[in-house]
Structures are given as structure tokens and as C-alpha cells.
Amino acid sequence: AVPVAEACLREACGWSEDSARRTTRRTAALALLCLGEQCSKDPTYAVLRPGLQQLLEQGIFPWVRFGADDLRLWREDPEEFARRAHDNLASSREPRAAAAELIERLLRHRRDDVLMPLLHFC
């Protein structure tokens, strides 16, 4: 499980708008979901812990922040925006939903390590 967690951490943190190497949205979502499954296990969390700040900054926050596309959709079709925001089946294909699920699991299992770094984004 540790090599899988390491690979998922690299994929989750490797995506960015301006990056030359891009992970597909689906791959990013699956990597984030995998990390969410691993955060409750001590051996795999030991791999995640040193890169937690990087995971928050590069792997989670870019997906969950409210951006220009969100603003456009909110203005054009607020019902569609709300539907997408609360789609329970989206986490396997949408990185935003997977990132939100990962935050939830990190807070559930590793609150002491995650809460203060996470509050820096609020």
C-alpha cells in the first residue's frame, strides 16, 4: 500500500494549470480518492505526512477553490452549479469532489495534523 500511496501523492500534487505535465481530471480524482482511503492507516499516512502541506497547497486547494469557471456557471445557471456541487457520485470523476472527500477523511482521521494547515486557506 505504501508504493501506491507514494504514486497517488505524486499524481495528486503534480497537476496544475500551468504545468507541462498534466494529470487528467479523472486520474487526479482517483489519486485523491486513493489518498483518502489511505489516510486512516498509519503506515501509509507516514508517507503522506511529510508532504501534507504540499498536498494541501498543490493537490487539494487548486481543485476546491472557487474560480472563474465557477463564477461563470453560478451567474449563468445557479441550479446547475448547486447540482454539481452536491453530486454524490462525482468523486470518482471530478477532482473537486474527490478533494473535498479527502479533506473530510483527513479531518476525521488526522485532525491534529491537518486542521491548522487547512485553516491557512480559509
Side-chain angles (χ1 to χ4, degrees):
V2 171
V4 172
E6 290 171 338
C8 289
L9 185 60
R10 280 192 306 274
E11 287 299 315
C13 294
W15 193 95
S16 68
E17 289 288 340
D18 56 314
S19 175
R21 184 189 72 79
R22 286 208 174 154
T23 299
T24 65
R25 294 177 65 83
R26 174 108 167 133
T27 301
L30 293 175
L32 291 165
L33 287 175
C34 178
L35 293 174
E37 289 294 320
Q38 300 303 318
C39 70
S40 66
K41 299 167 182 67
D42 289 337
T44 52
Y45 183 71
V47 171
L48 301 179
R49 190 172 189 196
L52 187 59
Q53 189 66 35
Q54 181 184 11
L55 176 62
L56 291 170
E57 290 175 8
Q58 298 173 8
I60 294 175
F61 184 69
W63 292 115
V64 296
R65 71 176 177 230
F66 190 86
D69 289 340
D70 298 316
L71 179 60
R72 181 189 50 75
L73 182 59
W74 174 255
R75 288 181 175 162
E76 292 174 5
D77 191 352
E79 288 180 15
E80 177 63 14
F81 179 85
R83 187 194 66 75
R84 287 184 188 178
H86 300 290
D87 183 358
N88 291 333
L89 302 175
S91 60
S92 66
R93 66 181 184 281
E94 284 298 323
R96 172 178 272 173
E101 189 172 319
L102 175 54
I103 291 170
E104 179 184 324
R105 288 176 181 226
L106 283 167
L107 288 171
R108 184 180 320 134
H109 299 290
R110 306 296 174 170
R111 179 180 314 241
D112 294 340
D113 291 342
V114 175
L115 187 58
M116 291 311 292
L118 188 61
L119 289 177
H120 291 292
F121 295 106
C122 295

